[in-house]
Amino acid sequence: MLILIFSISENDPRRTRIANAYFSLFMALGNILGYATGAYSGWYKIFPFTVTPSCSISCANLKSAFLLDIINLELTTSITVASLLEPPSIRLDEADHPSTEQEAFLWELFGSFRYFTLPVWMVLIVTALTWIGWFPFILFDTDWMGREIYRGSPDDPSITQSYHDGVRMGSFGLMLNSVLLGFTSIVLEKLCRKWGAGLVWGVSNILMALCFVAMLVITYVAKNMDYPPSGVPPTGIVIASLVVFTILGAPLAVSNNFFPPEFLQVLTGVWYPY
């Protein structure tokens, strides 16, 4: 997808940022629908055949969500393939006379390291650390809501329902996260022109770190609170968790919209060959 974006943008940094923004926007729209699907608990009623002796209601809801995803993916892919006409990469009269220019091989990519200055290395290190932080959140965010906030467990039948309620609430939080992600993607180009790409990128990383710290604080507070007999967490804890999930959509949009080599060019003003 990134290669297609760079190809269509013709290596223009501004056009690349705009293309990334649109890509992030439509990804956010898809996430909103996907997480809304995960937050709904009545799919088994719409698709009753998904409920079997070996598949409970929660399993049937998940199976229905995957079924909807398959149908939607097949439909959109078929429409795209049928309607998109990709121009040839070279003219027909050049087919018998290929250019001597070579594509970059792996050793040439590593060879570009000699162009990197200390600020660029710092940018790359921070980017790596940023994505190290993002992946655990993306993988375990709903599980965190189900276990730490709703105090459920998928392995204990007595509290399995609490866990599933927490997972659905986490999906709702991710839907709100995607709403803010889409909005940030729309205004990101204007923010970069007004404040500078470096400042926007730096503030987003600081905001992400603060949100992750807030999740630790919420976990600590939740562990030291007495829940009602129903097992439903206090409203304040749930709202705080949803707020953190939502705010994280802004730095996630920034992370999704800055990619090397255009990323390095925007932050440093220098083009680094790849």
Side-chain angles (χ1 to χ4, degrees), residues 48-264:
F49 61 88
T50 57
V51 180
T52 64
S54 59
C55 186
S56 61
I57 292 178
S58 297
C59 171
N61 285 327
L62 182 61
K63 187 189 301 183
S64 301
F66 281 131
L67 179 61
L68 290 172
D69 178 63
I70 292 173
I71 295 174
N72 183 63
L73 184 61
E74 290 292 337
L75 179 62
T76 54
T77 302
S78 299
I79 294 175
T80 302
V81 172
S83 60
L84 181 62
L85 297 177
E86 184 177 2
S89 57
I90 59 174
R91 296 200 307 268
L92 294 178
D93 57 356
E94 294 179 348
D96 298 330
H97 303 281
S99 173
T100 57
E101 183 179 356
Q102 298 289 328
E103 294 291 336
F105 290 95
L106 186 60
W107 55 84
E108 292 174 312
L109 296 178
F110 283 111
S112 64
F113 287 168
R114 67 180 181 271
Y115 297 100
F116 292 172
T117 60
L118 180 60
V120 175
W121 279 111
M122 297 303 297
V123 167
L124 294 176
I125 291 173
V126 172
T127 301
L129 295 175
T130 298
W131 282 105
I132 289 175
W134 276 123
F135 280 115
F137 172 78
I138 294 172
L139 288 174
F140 301 111
D141 41 21
T142 54
D143 186 73
W144 172 78
M145 184 73 80
R147 292 179 183 271
E148 303 294 339
I149 305 302
Y150 278 75
R151 295 182 180 177
S153 174
D155 303 321
D156 189 344
S158 62
I159 52 177
T160 298
Q161 187 57 46
S162 296
Y163 176 81
H164 291 314
D165 292 341
V167 169
R168 281 194 293 271
M169 185 59 68
S171 296
F172 177 72
L174 291 176
M175 184 190 70
L176 299 178
N177 174 287
S178 298
V179 171
L180 185 59
L181 189 154
F183 175 78
T184 305
S185 298
I186 296 174
V187 301
L188 188 58
E189 174 65 19
K190 293 183 179 179
L191 291 177
C192 288
R193 288 203 305 265
K194 183 177 181 180
W195 296 343
L199 179 60
V200 172
W201 177 71
V203 170
S204 71
N205 286 334
I206 294 174
L207 182 61
M208 182 196 73
L210 293 176
C211 287
F212 287 164
V213 171
M215 292 180 68
L216 295 177
V217 174
I218 293 173
T219 300
Y220 175 79
V221 173
K223 286 185 176 180
N224 291 275
M225 293 186 67
D226 293 329
Y227 283 16
S230 62
V232 179
T235 304
I237 293 294
V238 176
I239 292 177
S241 302
L242 294 177
V243 168
V244 170
F245 274 45
T246 304
I247 294 176
L248 280 171
L252 183 57
V254 176
S255 298
N256 287 337
N257 278 284
F258 285 96
F259 301 105
E262 181 266 348
F263 173 71
L264 296 176

